[in-house]
Amino acid sequence: MEDIIEKYSGNPSLFFLLISWLIAGGIQMIYHGLLFSRIWWQKPKNSPGPSLPKLSLIVAIHNEEKNLPELLEQLQKQKYPEDWELLFVDDRSTDSSRKLLLEQKKFNSHLNIISINETPAGKSPKKYAIQQGILHAQHNHMVFTDADCRPASEDWLFLMASKFQKNIQFVLGYSPYNFHKGFLNLFIRFETLLSGISYLSLAMWGNPYMGVGRNLAYQKGFFLDHGGFSKHDQILSGDDDLLVNEMANKHNTDWEIHPAAFVYSKPKESWRAFIHQKTRHLSAGVKYRFTDRLLLGCWVISKVFFWLLLPLNLWHFGLSINLLAFGLLVVAVISINIKLSAERLREKVSIWSIPILDLLYVFYYVLTGLRTLFIKQTQWNHHQERHFQQKH
């Protein structure tokens, strides 16, 4: 390696190319060898306390008649020893969602319903719906999910609520996507896995920067005392990640990654729909704290530099044993960490496919990043996807 550096140090362009690639690879090893490795070696922090809180489970919906029957069936199976409320917030549904809920209320003592007929101008419809659910919640401790999600077990609420001990205000859960055959599904699950590795690992290091609204819990009083969504209620996304980014810290946040506490969701079935969904989610990232944007940006940029500069370095410097050894070491550290983390999070991914998926992730991230600059997000995702499909 030293002979290559010495040979090309007189050529600024090639020298910069080589050094940039080496630095990018080194940064990737730091992230995957240290910062993002807590998932697979972190031991459970604590056990359920002497008492469990009363809970409000809040689900904001919009035209979910296809998802509600199965969701209600799954939620009714939850074994939670304390009093708990199942609160649905119906945001201007035009299908039979409300009728279905009213029928179920006759047989479910936990079930409560509130309806929204109009969203105030300048507010995110989904955030407004969730905030109305919070205001009407009977209990201080709240758990959130979406209508197209399914808890992995009947102990989901118990496991999430058991983390509310001492000063804990936020509980971060994991929400993988259902397994289906096909490369799109594989990549969607890989992207979700990378996201889970990053936000859960950093939370374990004391820097919670986001959560996922499909499996998230926090306290009503804390939410209201700190202004709720007021700082970002015009942005469609962010009812989960921006809220955690703004209010969560190492003292008030815990996590639950027991497989029985996972919440599974339905993945998109086309690349267009998936990219569109992720563009909406990525748009919230620009509102993160500066330190979090810097931390995540360094990871993504170094990933882009490592993969895209790899062929250029091989072209200019040839098949140097040292360069190949370094590149293989970086790929090995990335792949082993992701594979071990995937096993902890019950994700099915072959270690041999990880380098290919990680390379594809670079192009996906660049594409969604560029789309974020030009697309304004103002509606529920159901409306957005219909509009998107009509245009294309």
Side-chain angles (χ1 to χ4, degrees):
M1 188 73 74
E2 293 181 1
D3 58 331
I4 296 178
I5 294 176
E6 183 178 354
K7 181 179 179 180
Y8 290 97
S9 59
N11 187 324
S13 298
L14 291 180
F15 186 72
F16 176 78
L17 184 71
L18 176 62
I19 295 300
S20 297
W21 180 70
L22 294 174
I23 293 175
I27 292 174
Q28 283 294 296
M29 286 195 289
I30 292 173
Y31 273 84
H32 282 279
L34 179 64
L35 295 180
F36 289 172
S37 66
R38 288 287 289 266
I39 291 290
W40 55 268
W41 59 263
Q42 175 71 43
K43 295 181 179 179
K45 286 181 59 177
N46 47 36
S47 57
S51 62
L52 291 168
K54 297 178 180 180
L55 283 182
S56 288
L57 171 55
I58 300 176
V59 186
I61 65 167
H62 176 79
N63 290 342
E64 295 286 359
E65 62 180 3
K66 294 182 179 179
N67 286 315
L68 284 175
E70 184 180 354
L71 175 65
L72 286 164
E73 181 182 355
Q74 293 291 320
L75 295 181
Q76 287 172 359
K77 296 178 181 178
Q78 289 296 303
K79 293 183 177 179
Y80 193 69
E82 295 294 333
D83 183 29
W84 68 283
E85 168 196 27
L86 174 54
L87 178 59
F88 280 92
V89 185
D90 178 22
D91 180 30
R92 301 164 297 157
S93 291
T94 56
D95 62 2
S96 61
S97 293
R98 178 168 173 77
K99 180 180 179 181
L100 192 154
L101 289 173
L102 288 172
E103 286 295 322
Q104 287 294 316
K105 184 172 173 60
K106 298 176 182 178
F107 312 102
N108 190 336
S109 60
H110 296 296
L111 180 60
N112 289 313
I113 311 162
I114 64 172
S115 296
I116 295 175
N117 298 317
E118 184 178 0
T119 300
K123 290 184 177 294
S124 159
K126 186 175 183 182
K127 286 183 184 174
Y128 182 74
I130 291 175
Q131 183 156 311
Q132 292 305 301
I134 293 172
L135 292 174
H136 287 82
Q138 293 180 359
H139 306 303
N140 184 54
H141 294 78
M142 306 174 298
V143 181
F144 298 83
T145 193
D146 291 337
D148 62 347
C149 296
R150 306 291 179 263
S153 77
E154 59 192 16
D155 295 319
W156 168 52
L157 286 181
F158 172 81
L159 290 169
M160 291 293 287
S162 68
K163 296 296 182 177
F164 279 122
Q165 300 184 47
K166 297 181 180 179
N167 298 320
I168 297 300
Q169 303 289 343
F170 286 93
V171 181
L172 311 181
Y174 184 60
S175 182
Y177 283 100
N178 295 328
F179 174 84
H180 299 296
K181 293 182 179 180
F183 189 76
L184 172 60
N185 180 263
L186 174 61
F187 183 75
I188 289 175
R189 290 186 293 104
F190 179 78
E191 191 274 341
T192 303
L193 172 62
L194 278 188
S195 176
I197 290 173
S198 62
Y199 80 80
L200 289 168
S201 289
L202 290 181
M204 293 172 183
W205 282 113
N207 183 43
Y209 75 88
M210 66 161 279
V212 290
R214 304 188 300 273
N215 194 5
L216 180 67
Y218 50 89
Q219 295 195 39
K220 176 178 181 176
F222 185 83
F223 174 87
L224 297 176
D225 290 344
H226 289 77
F229 299 131
S230 60
K231 292 184 180 179
H232 46 82
D233 60 0
Q234 300 86 3
I235 304 172
L236 177 66
S237 299
D239 54 280
D240 43 16
D241 54 347
L242 289 182
L243 182 71
V244 173
N245 193 262
E246 178 188 349
M247 300 183 185
N249 57 57
K250 65 180 180 180
H251 302 295
N252 68 5
T253 304
D254 205 344
W255 57 89
E256 178 55 78
I257 58 172
H258 191 287
F262 293 169
V263 172
Y264 285 86
S265 185
K266 296 180 180 179
K268 298 301 179 184
E269 297 180 354
S270 72
W271 284 100
R272 284 181 174 178
F274 170 64
I275 295 296
H276 185 63
Q277 176 194 43
K278 289 304 173 180
T279 300
R280 177 168 56 88
H281 292 169
L282 192 61
S283 65
V286 298
K287 301 294 184 180
Y288 285 179
R289 295 180 297 242
F290 173 76
T291 52
D292 294 325
R293 296 201 309 270
L294 183 64
L295 188 63
L296 297 172
C298 185
W299 173 59
V300 172
I301 292 173
S302 65
K303 183 182 294 293
V304 171
F305 269 57
F306 173 75
W307 283 114
L308 297 189
L309 293 182
L310 176 58
L312 292 177
N313 275 284
L314 293 178
W315 174 266
H316 285 292
F317 303 112
L319 297 177
S320 165
I321 296 298
N322 289 329
L323 287 181
L324 284 175
F326 179 78
L328 289 173
L329 176 62
V330 176
V331 173
V333 171
I334 293 173
S335 300
I336 291 172
N337 179 54
I338 292 177
K339 178 60 177 177
L340 292 174
S341 300
E343 291 178 353
R344 181 74 183 272
L345 296 175
R346 298 297 193 272
E347 294 281 12
K348 297 179 181 179
V349 58
S350 166
I351 192 169
W352 307 112
S353 68
I354 291 175
I356 298 173
L357 293 168
D358 203 50
L359 173 60
L360 181 60
Y361 182 86
V362 168
F363 294 99
Y364 145 80
Y365 202 92
V366 172
L367 174 61
T368 52
L370 292 175
R371 281 177 56 84
T372 302
L373 298 176
F374 301 104
I375 296 179
K376 185 178 181 180
Q377 310 292 333
T378 58
Q379 304 175 15
W380 270 81
N381 55 343
H382 297 281
H383 292 160
Q384 290 173 314
E385 287 164 15
R386 264 192 226 107
H387 178 65
F388 180 78
Q389 291 166 358
Q390 289 170 357
K391 288 181 67 177
H392 295 271

